[in-house]
């Protein structure tokens, strides 16, 4: 399952569970589209939303989705150094990604 939290660790939306063995970004566009629509139904704006996650989500498919939806993809780079990345990366924000682990605990 995928989760979107606000900065206060409150869950805003979660995806459906997907059975089987899949990589982190399996059908990510479908899952996030549904989650973003759920958030919008609560009158919460989703443009310029920060998606903060680890290297498992650093995929071009997801980065393209974020650009299309006007989202900020703050993912640690899968290959190479942070210093040689082309994308903007907020390291201070990235350190707050533990929210999901906190919720699952």
């Amino acid at each position: 399952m995928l989760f979107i939290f606000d900065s206060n660790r409150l869950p805003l939306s979660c995806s459906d569970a997907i059975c089987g063995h899949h990589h982190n970004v399996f059908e990510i566009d479908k899952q996030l589209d549904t989650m973003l629509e759920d958030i919008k139904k609560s009158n919460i704006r989703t443009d310029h939303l920060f998606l903060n996650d680890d290297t498992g989500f650093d995929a071009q498919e997801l980065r393209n989705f974020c650009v299309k939806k006007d989202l900020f993809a703050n993912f640690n780079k899968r290959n190479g150094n942070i210093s040689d990345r082309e994308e903007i990366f907020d390291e201070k924000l990235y350190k707050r990604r533990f929210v999901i682990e906190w919720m699952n605990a």
Side-chain angles (χ1 to χ4, degrees):
M1 291 183 75
L2 301 173
F3 298 92
I4 296 178
F5 290 86
D6 70 5
S7 61
N8 294 315
R9 298 186 217 154
L10 296 174
L12 299 177
S13 184
C14 68
S15 69
D16 292 330
I18 301 174
C19 64
H21 295 45
H22 303 289
H23 53 79
N24 288 348
V25 293
F26 177 74
E27 296 184 344
I28 192 80
D29 53 339
K30 293 177 188 174
Q31 296 294 324
L32 283 177
D33 258 338
T34 302
M35 294 168 69
L36 292 171
E37 287 305 314
D38 287 345
I39 293 170
K40 288 177 185 176
K41 289 176 187 173
S42 298
N43 293 320
I44 299 172
R45 293 179 56 184
T46 61
D47 55 326
H48 308 295
L49 183 73
F50 279 72
L51 295 182
N52 197 29
D53 226 316
D54 60 23
T55 57
F57 289 88
D58 184 28
Q60 195 59 48
E61 174 188 5
L62 182 52
R63 289 190 180 279
N64 293 342
F65 176 86
C66 289
V67 169
K68 186 173 92 176
K69 296 292 184 174
D70 203 17
L71 305 171
F72 182 83
N74 198 54
F75 310 135
N76 199 3
K77 195 169 186 176
R78 182 180 295 268
N79 297 310
N81 296 323
I82 292 172
S83 61
D84 64 35
R85 64 187 306 129
E86 294 177 18
E87 299 88 6
I88 297 170
F89 180 71
D90 186 321
E91 197 164 349
K92 195 172 191 179
L93 177 64
Y94 181 73
K95 289 179 181 179
R96 298 191 60 178
R97 75 189 183 288
F98 66 86
V99 170
I100 293 174
E101 287 82 3
W102 176 84
M103 197 276 305
N104 287 325

